[in-house]
């Protein structure tokens, strides 16, 4: 069965069972490998994408739930055209967040979705950042650098 998905502003045809997770449609069918597989149970955050601007776990969200919706992936958030995504990416580099890097696309997607909800001119607290990033696991333990990068990105956007 063919499903039309709007991915990064472009309609893409995906020939797959409607129950196929968005993650596998992105990676296997469309060759977009920036979104990572981590746990397959929505527990680690490695597969985070945006669905209509909300951070979701693509490993458990079927393509049928995304038909007619807007999916945004790490490729679009970090290409420089998204102001918030660019601020997050630049802060990630500045704070040397990534070690192994595997979780980073999910971390950046969660951070970007969060910062888009912060009122203009408001700086989030450490507790708000920690709450927004909860559920994104970093096996290397770079949580302090992640928090600093999110805070720095928020400052650059204020």
């Amino acid at each position: 069965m063919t499903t039309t998905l709007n991915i990064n502003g472009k309609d893409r045809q995906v020939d797959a069972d409607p129950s196929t997770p968005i993650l596998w449609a992105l990676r296997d069918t469309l060759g977009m490998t920036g979104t990572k597989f981590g746990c397959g149970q929505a527990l680690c955050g490695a597969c985070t994408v945006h669905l209509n601007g909300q951070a979701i776990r693509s490993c458990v969200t079927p393509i049928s739930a995304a038909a007619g919706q807007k999916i945004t992936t790490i490729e679009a958030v970090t290409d420089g055209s998204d102001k918030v995504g660019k601020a997050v990416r630049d802060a990630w580099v500045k704070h040397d967040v990534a070690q192994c890097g595997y979780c980073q696309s999910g971390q950046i997607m969660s951070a970007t979705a969060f910062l888009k909800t912060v009122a203009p001119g408001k700086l989030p607290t450490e507790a708000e950042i920690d709450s927004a990033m909860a559920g994104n696991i970093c096996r290397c333990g770079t949580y302090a650098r992640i928090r600093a990068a999110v805070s720095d990105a928020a400052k650059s956007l204020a």
Side-chain angles (χ1 to χ4, degrees):
M1 178 171 199
T2 301
T3 303
T4 302
L5 298 176
N6 185 288
I7 302 169
N8 300 332
K10 296 179 184 174
D11 284 342
R12 305 286 301 265
Q13 301 297 315
V14 177
D15 187 20
D17 185 289
S19 66
T20 300
I22 294 169
L23 172 67
W24 300 119
L26 292 171
R27 291 184 62 80
D28 292 349
T29 305
L30 300 173
M32 299 175 72
T33 58
T35 304
K36 304 298 183 201
F37 172 78
C39 68
Q41 298 177 1
L43 301 172
C44 73
C47 69
T48 303
V49 298
H50 298 170
L51 187 62
N52 296 327
Q54 299 292 314
I56 62 146
R57 304 302 193 236
S58 67
C59 70
V60 296
T61 306
I63 60 174
S64 60
Q69 312 295 315
K70 292 182 180 184
I71 299 169
T72 307
T73 68
I74 189 71
E75 288 87 355
V77 165
T78 59
D79 71 1
S81 64
D82 181 303
K83 178 183 173 183
V84 177
K86 181 179 181 338
V88 171
R89 182 195 65 202
D90 291 349
W92 242 246
V93 172
K94 176 182 174 184
H95 290 274
D96 197 23
V97 172
Q99 272 189 316
C100 83
Y102 197 82
C103 71
Q104 296 310 301
S105 61
Q107 299 277 2
I108 289 169
M109 294 302 288
S110 291
T112 301
F114 165 61
L115 289 176
K116 287 183 178 188
T117 68
V118 175
K122 181 186 181 301
L123 296 178
T125 65
E126 282 190 7
E128 289 169 329
I129 293 169
D130 289 346
S131 178
M133 299 304 292
N136 284 83
I137 296 172
C138 175
R139 290 177 179 95
C140 299
T142 64
Y143 298 111
R145 286 186 269 173
I146 290 168
R147 184 184 309 115
V150 174
S151 179
D152 196 48
K155 287 174 189 166
S156 76
L157 293 164

